[in-house]
Every structure is written in C-alpha cells, then in structure tokens.
C-alpha cells in the first residue's frame, strides 16, 4: 500500500517495483540492490506552465529549414544567418542575399537572392529560394520557388526552377531551361534544352530556339514573335502571329480571333480556327505519336515463351 507523498517506481534492471518519496531523484532497488535514477513527474503546476510558455516561445522564434543537399528538416532560430544540416553536415547560408559589384565563385543560399542592378556575377552556380536578376549574370541558377529576370537583366547559362519569368526589357540567352511554368515577356534565346509543362509567350516577347515539348501547353499572345524551325507540344493556342516554316505537331491547335498561324506542315488531332483567325500551311493526316516502348509490351504476352508442362 502506498503511503502519502510516495510514488511507485520500477527498477530498470530487474523491473521490481517499490515505493519512494515523491521528491527522490535516485535510489537502490530493494530486490536486486542496484542503483538507479528516478524520473518522477514534476508536480509543480506553475513550473509546468512556465515550461510550456518557454517551449511555445522557442517554437515561435524558430523555423524549419530543409537542407538543399539531402532534404532533411532542421529547426533553426528565426534570426539565424547560417546552420549546418543535422544529417549530412552541409553548410546552409540563411537570410536574403544581395549581390552587388563584380563577384565570382559559387553562391549557395537558402533564402532569396537578388542580383542587383549593375552587378556582374560569373560564378559557376547559384542557388536560392527566389532569385531575382537585375544585372549581368553568367551562371547556372537553381531556385526552389522561381527565377525572375527584370528589365535591364542580361542572363546566360542555365535556369532550373518551378517557375521562370522573363519580364519586359530583360535579355536572356541560355543553354537550358527546366521548369514547370515559363512566362516570357522579354527576349529569350535557347540554344539547347527547354523542358516545361506550360509555356506562355506574352505580348512583346521574342523567342528563338527549340520548341520540342510533347507534353506542354504553348500559348502565343498577340504581339509575340517566334523564331523556331519546328514545334512539338500537347496543346497550342495562337492569339498573335506565329510563323514556323518547319513541322508542327500537336494534339490540339487553336487559332483565336485575330490569330495568324503560318506553318510548313501541321499534324494535329484537333484543329480549331475562330472567326477572324487564319491558318496557312499543309495539313497532314494525323499520326499519333508513338508510345513509349514499355507501354507497347503486352503484360499477358510476357509469359508466352515460358515452358509449358506436358500432360502425362
């Protein structure tokens, strides 16, 4: 039977139970004689409330930072300027960064990066959450949110981000763009790979390069100028003037009112031309795109060559 102000504790070695005073911090087991510390609950309500308020304050003054190298979550102080990943020990530079003047080398930032007007950055690579370019940048840029080139920007290299925006007055000449959404309102020239699921060529934009994006939606607004030999996409919407002297392949082509589409050859499953729109070119018989090789394999045929048991 427990006495007043006593608690029942269990020995971590032999698991025997015994009663100890509520304020005790250690004891010896009466069964096996071994020493062990007690982890008794704190009964001080005021102390519990203070601890709860302290923990809440710490949580409020902290934020969760995901390592850009291994993806592990790290809890750091809100005002921290750097930290080290608890999993891979990668150094993370925190806080917004502003690049001015002439700089080289690599820039690995977790938060936003601004390449200020008049700057010249020739680093091998730069990373950040949101990257703004207002100066001259010759680098591979990676952002977890978006990359934006503003008026006066001169950008070359590679762009990798969920969203890429090229504003009026920006001049971008790159080898590669990988994104989910690309919006072009300035000048864009791509010499290599363009991967995007949605491409918007806004009024006043100029585009030069390859438009080979079989799963993308391409929209050409009035006033956009396109310089591409051929184009492949899932859906093409033309509101302005589109001149493609080569081959165009799409599941669906829509020419809106006042839209002008001049192509060499067109292969599409669906073609819509609104009143006032114009489509000129050789329309070929639609040929579906070949499916991936693995999609053509009949699962039931996979076992045709297996040896069959003979009847006795």
């Amino acid at each position: 039977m427990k006495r007043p102000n006593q608690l029942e504790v269990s020995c971590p070695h032999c698991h025997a139970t015994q009663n100890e005073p509520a304020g005790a911090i250690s004891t010896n087991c009466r069964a096996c004689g071994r020493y062990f510390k007690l982890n008794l609950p704190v009964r001080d309500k005021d102390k519990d409330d203070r601890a709860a308020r302290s923990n809440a304050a710490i949580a409020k003054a902290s934020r969760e930072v995901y390592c850009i190298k291994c993806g592990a979550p790290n809890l750091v102080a809100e005002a921290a300027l750097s930290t080290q990943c608890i999993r891979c020990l990668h150094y993370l530079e925190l806080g917004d960064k502003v690049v001015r003047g002439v700089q080289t080398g690599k820039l690995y930032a977790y938060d936003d990066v601004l390449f200020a007007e008049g700057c010249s950055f020739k680093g091998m690579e730069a990373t950040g959450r949101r990257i703004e370019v207002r100066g001259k940048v010759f680098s591979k840029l990676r952002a977890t949110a978006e990359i934006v080139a503003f008026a006066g920007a001169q950008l070359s290299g590679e762009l990798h981000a969920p969203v890429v925006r090229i504003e009026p007055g920006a001049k971008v000449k790159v080898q590669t763009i990988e994104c989910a959404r690309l919006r072009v309102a300035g000048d864009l020239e791509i010499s290599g790979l363009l991967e995007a699921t949605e491409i918007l060529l806004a009024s006043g934009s100029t585009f030069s390069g390859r438009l080979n994006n079989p799963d993308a939606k391409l929209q050409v607004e009035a006033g956009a100028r396109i310089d591409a030999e051929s184009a492949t996409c899932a859906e093409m919407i033309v509101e302005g003037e589109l001149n493609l002297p080569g081959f165009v392949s799409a599941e669906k082509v829509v020419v809106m009112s006042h839209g002008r589409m001049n192509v060499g050859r067109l292969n599409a499953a669906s073609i819509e031309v609104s009143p006032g729109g114009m489509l000129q070119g050789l329309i070929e018989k639609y040929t579906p795109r070949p499916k991936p090789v693995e999609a053509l394999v009949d699962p039931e045929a996979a076992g045709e060559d297996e040896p069959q048991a003979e009847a006795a």
Side-chain angles (χ1 to χ4, degrees):
M1 178 177 178
K2 291 193 297 184
R3 298 177 182 176
N5 298 324
Q6 288 201 348
L7 297 173
E8 187 178 84
V9 297
S10 176
C11 174
H13 307 293
C14 69
H15 306 293
T17 59
Q18 62 191 48
N19 293 332
E20 294 293 341
I25 61 174
S26 64
T27 188
N28 287 89
C29 178
R30 298 188 184 93
C32 67
R34 300 181 67 177
Y35 170 84
F36 63 95
K37 292 184 178 181
L38 303 178
N39 295 315
L40 299 179
V42 178
R43 298 296 183 180
D44 190 338
K45 184 178 179 181
D46 292 338
K47 188 174 181 179
D48 290 344
D49 292 341
R50 289 195 299 270
R53 288 195 298 269
S54 177
N55 291 336
I58 292 173
K60 186 176 181 180
S62 303
R63 63 168 172 154
E64 198 170 43
V65 172
Y66 291 88
C67 178
I68 59 177
K69 185 176 182 181
C70 71
N74 296 262
L75 189 64
V76 301
E78 189 70 33
L81 297 179
S82 65
T83 189
Q84 192 173 32
C85 178
I86 58 175
R87 178 190 292 173
C88 68
L89 304 181
H90 182 71
Y91 175 76
L92 297 173
E93 191 173 0
L94 306 177
D96 297 342
K97 305 298 175 186
V98 180
V99 179
R100 296 186 174 90
V102 179
Q103 292 193 29
T104 58
K106 296 181 180 179
L107 174 60
Y108 295 127
Y110 181 81
D111 292 306
D112 298 349
V113 178
L114 168 62
F115 293 98
E117 184 177 354
C119 80
S120 178
F121 180 78
K122 296 183 179 181
M124 182 178 296
E125 185 175 8
T127 65
R129 179 173 56 192
R130 184 176 186 273
I131 299 179
E132 293 186 9
V133 181
R134 299 179 183 272
K136 297 180 180 179
V137 175
F138 310 89
S139 179
K140 178 190 292 185
L141 302 184
R142 297 183 182 274
T144 56
E146 67 173 352
I147 297 173
V148 186
F150 287 96
Q154 296 184 30
L155 178 57
S156 65
E158 297 183 13
L159 306 179
H160 305 265
V163 177
V164 174
R165 292 193 290 122
I166 301 171
E167 298 298 326
K171 296 183 178 180
V172 177
K173 184 177 180 180
V174 293
Q175 289 77 43
T176 301
I177 293 183
E178 289 184 319
C179 62
R181 187 173 190 271
L182 171 64
R183 185 183 186 279
V184 182
D187 299 335
L188 173 60
E189 180 178 344
I190 300 178
S191 59
L193 175 69
L194 168 60
E195 286 192 0
T197 54
E198 184 179 350
I199 303 172
L200 172 62
L201 303 177
S203 176
S205 66
T206 63
F207 176 88
S208 175
R210 302 175 184 175
L211 281 171
N212 184 20
N213 304 87
D215 299 322
K217 176 182 178 181
L218 172 63
Q219 183 174 353
V220 182
E221 291 187 349
R225 291 182 297 164
I226 312 301
D227 182 13
E229 185 64 28
S230 61
T232 302
C233 60
E235 182 177 357
M236 180 179 293
I237 300 176
V238 181
E239 300 174 353
E241 185 172 343
L242 176 63
N243 293 300
L244 288 170
F247 179 70
V248 175
S249 175
E251 293 297 319
K252 182 178 182 180
V253 173
V254 179
V255 181
M256 306 296 289
S257 300
H258 308 295
R260 298 289 185 270
M261 184 173 177
N262 190 352
V263 299
R265 295 181 296 127
L266 174 61
N267 186 309
S270 173
I271 301 175
E272 300 177 11
V273 181
S274 299
M278 186 270 289
L279 171 61
Q280 184 174 350
L282 175 62
I283 300 178
E284 299 181 343
K285 181 180 179 181
Y286 174 66
T287 303
R289 298 193 192 98
K291 296 181 179 180
V293 175
E294 54 269 22
L296 298 177
V297 177
D298 185 357
E300 297 181 357
E304 286 183 354
D305 296 331
E306 295 181 1
Q308 303 294 323
E310 297 182 358

